[in-house]
Amino acid sequence: MQLVDSHCHLDAPEFDGDRDAMVARARAAGVAAMVVPAITAASWPGLRQACAGDSALHPAYGLHPMFLAAHRPEHLDELRDWLERERPCAVGECGLDFFVEGLDAAAQRRYFDAQLQLAREFGLPVIVHARRAVEEVIHTLRRIGGLRGVVHSFSGSPEQARQLWDMGFLLGLGGPVTYPRANRLRALAATMPLEFLLLETDAPDQPDAGIRGQRNEPARLPAIAAVIAGLRGQPVEEVAAQTTANARRLFDLPDSPSP
Ligand SMILES: [Zn+2]
């Protein structure tokens, strides 16, 4: 059984002490590929370095809305250079966050719009962060048009999910779906078409119910897949096979041999 972690921040300082061991644990758990989105321009070189030399690790470059204070307009020009030179698997993490206090909405919109334009120009998928902002994200994706990608850690309504599928977008689900009280999310995971699902850990954040309060890591992905399979009443192998195929197609990842 092969899995793809479609969203993990394995360049995060939380992993500085044991990054190689953490990646080895992920491989041993059947995680054949990991997509690693960026947060700030300053993080791009370190991210590139963390993924270099390991064909299972796939960086994406972008400007994360929660780190707005670190972004400068010239970082968008630098992003264009990085996309041109590195040809990453995606643009991201980008998006809108109306949950965190004090993030200027207009500035967030400018960076998000510009990154979507770049993704379209380079024909790359986008990795979208949408917190308390799913409705506006949908409108923005529709307005720009010609995009594909994933709304990671999706937390919207069934109607919003359908609107995203209609645009060809996938939904990333991870740790939050493993908590018994997440009724709306669990109902979505139980009934949604598997062709639109990606699995993710968002490590080191969003630990699943089995490691509540602890540092998350990609080796936890099988636990998430098992919960979703259980909710669907479907063999975990089917969930793994389809979501892995979805991730490989969206991010144009090479097939990797069985671990
Ligand atoms: Zn993230």
Side-chain angles (χ1 to χ4, degrees):
M1 189 170 85
Q2 283 197 0
L3 296 164
V4 173
D5 191 343
S6 64
H7 197 112
C8 54
H9 296 279
L10 56 75
D11 60 323
E14 284 89 338
F15 296 121
D16 282 353
D18 65 344
R19 185 166 290 108
D20 290 349
M22 178 265 295
V23 171
R25 282 193 294 274
R27 280 180 193 285
V31 181
M34 289 156 258
V35 174
V36 190
I39 55 169
T40 62
S43 78
W44 298 338
L47 170 56
R48 184 180 184 281
Q49 174 78 30
C51 295
D54 188 333
S55 60
L57 308 182
H58 303 277
Y61 297 108
L63 302 167
H64 190 305
M66 281 176 65
F67 300 86
L68 185 67
H71 306 335
R72 299 289 176 269
E74 56 267 32
H75 293 167
L76 292 166
D77 299 325
E78 291 172 30
L79 180 57
R80 172 190 297 279
D81 295 342
W82 275 73
L83 299 178
E84 181 78 50
R85 190 181 70 235
E86 301 292 330
R87 298 284 158 178
C89 69
V91 172
E93 177 168 358
C94 59
L96 299 172
D97 193 315
F98 298 150
F99 174 76
V100 175
E101 305 261 333
L103 295 175
D104 181 66
Q108 288 194 57
R109 291 180 179 115
R110 282 196 299 275
Y111 284 107
F112 186 36
D113 263 47
Q115 291 179 84
L116 295 177
Q117 300 280 7
L118 281 172
R120 198 172 70 168
E121 181 184 329
F122 282 87
L124 289 170
V126 283
I127 298 170
V128 179
H129 172 106
R131 193 151 54 149
R132 296 254 174 101
V134 176
E135 197 65 29
E136 183 166 332
V137 159
I138 290 169
H139 287 304
T140 307
L141 297 175
R142 192 173 280 142
R143 172 167 53 77
I144 305 269
L147 294 163
R148 60 202 175 90
V150 56
V151 175
H152 112 87
S153 194
F154 179 77
S155 60
S157 69
E159 292 72 26
Q160 290 168 332
R162 260 189 297 277
Q163 289 170 18
L164 286 163
W165 303 334
D166 287 347
M167 286 190 282
F169 268 73
L170 283 70
L171 307 182
L173 296 182
V177 81
T178 64
Y179 289 84
R181 285 184 176 176
N183 292 320
R184 187 166 79 170
L185 208 48
R186 289 163 77 90
L188 179 70
T191 57
M192 70 177 279
L194 218 43
E195 65 189 289
F196 294 116
L197 177 63
L198 293 184
L199 303 179
E200 63 171 57
T201 61
D202 200 22
D205 303 320
Q206 303 208 71
D208 63 84
I211 54 163
R212 184 180 208 128
Q214 299 170 45
R215 185 187 71 169
N216 194 7
E217 65 174 67
R220 295 299 300 172
L221 202 59
I224 292 163
V227 167
I228 290 174
L231 290 168
R232 300 178 66 86
Q234 195 171 8
V236 69
E237 291 79 7
E238 287 179 19
V239 172
Q242 177 75 59
T243 56
T244 294
N246 294 345
R248 291 201 189 288
R249 191 175 59 245
L250 179 65
F251 297 116
D252 197 20
L253 306 179
D255 280 321
S256 46
S258 291

